[in-house]
Amino acid sequence: MKNKEEEVNENLQEVADQTVDQDINAGENATEQNPMAKLEADVAEMKDKYLRLYSDFENFRKRNAKERLDLIKTASEGVLSDLIPVVDDFERAIKANENEENAQKIREGNLLIFHKFMKVLENKGLTPMQDLIGQPFDADTQEAITQIPAPTEEMKGKVIDVVEKGYTLGDKVVRFAKVVTGA
């Protein structure tokens, strides 16, 4: 079963072929004498241009959709390849910590890996929200999980504690900071 687009294309092609045949048979003098034949030729030419333009647009749309899917599939590749060395460090630390009894060395190793991990994230544009305590509550970047009586009068409506850090990627909030506000 043919779809509508194929039927329209066939019909337009038949009309174009008929018009061209009529123009050839009638000759140039007949075209000058018969304005209808000239109009039909113009219509056939315009339909042909329309079909070509439509076909080009459909090809562009399909190519664009394919490129967009490829981009989505590989968008996180850069981040993941930068995180692989951090995973390797974690694996080495876990293996080294199996026999280590000195907690200070374990803590220092974990801090080194943590800082390396945070540096990778910051290089990709992810930044933690800093210095929220004492600042006015901002519903655009923070989520108030509870309110407690403010320790001082000036702390009313301000952030008293941060339960979970918030993060931004450029100007976009990736994760809202979960805070406690003063009532």
Side-chain angles (χ1 to χ4, degrees), residues 53-70:
L53 184 62
Y54 180 78
S55 175
D56 288 344
F57 178 73
E58 283 299 310
N59 290 338
F60 166 76
R61 189 180 59 77
K62 289 176 185 174
R63 185 174 54 249
N64 195 14
K66 183 181 181 293
E67 288 172 357
R68 193 175 326 129
L69 286 175
D70 290 343

Side-chain angles (χ1 to χ4, degrees), residues 19-146:
T19 305
V20 169
D21 290 341
Q22 288 174 356
D23 283 348
I24 291 172
N25 293 337
E28 232 177 40
N29 292 335
T31 304
E32 291 174 4
Q33 294 172 357
N34 186 357
M36 189 65 166
K38 185 175 183 336
L39 291 175
E40 287 175 354
D42 289 344
V43 167
E45 182 182 337
M46 294 296 173
K47 285 182 180 178
D48 184 53
K49 286 181 181 178
Y50 167 75
L51 287 174
R52 291 177 192 276
L53 184 62
Y54 180 78
S55 175
D56 288 344
F57 178 73
E58 283 299 310
N59 290 338
F60 166 76
R61 189 180 59 77
K62 289 176 185 174
R63 185 174 54 249
N64 195 14
K66 183 181 181 293
E67 288 172 357
R68 193 175 326 129
L69 286 175
D70 290 343
L71 182 64
I72 290 169
K73 285 180 183 177
T74 60
S76 60
E77 181 180 352
V79 174
L80 295 176
S81 64
D82 288 345
L83 289 178
I84 290 173
V86 177
V87 172
D88 293 339
D89 288 346
F90 272 121
E91 288 174 345
R92 283 191 289 273
I94 290 169
K95 192 172 187 178
N97 292 341
E98 288 176 354
N99 299 328
E100 185 63 48
E101 293 180 13
N102 187 350
Q104 183 62 27
K105 287 183 180 179
I106 294 172
R107 190 175 306 115
E108 287 175 9
N110 289 340
L111 278 174
L112 287 173
I113 296 171
F114 173 76
H115 290 299
K116 184 176 184 178
F117 180 70
M118 289 305 294
K119 188 171 185 170
V120 168
L121 294 178
E122 287 174 2
N123 287 340
K124 296 299 176 183
L126 187 75
T127 55
M129 295 178 192
Q130 301 289 337
D131 303 324
L132 297 178
I133 296 176
Q135 299 296 321
F137 175 73
D138 180 12
D140 292 335
T141 60
Q142 301 163 6
E143 179 182 341
I145 58 172
T146 189

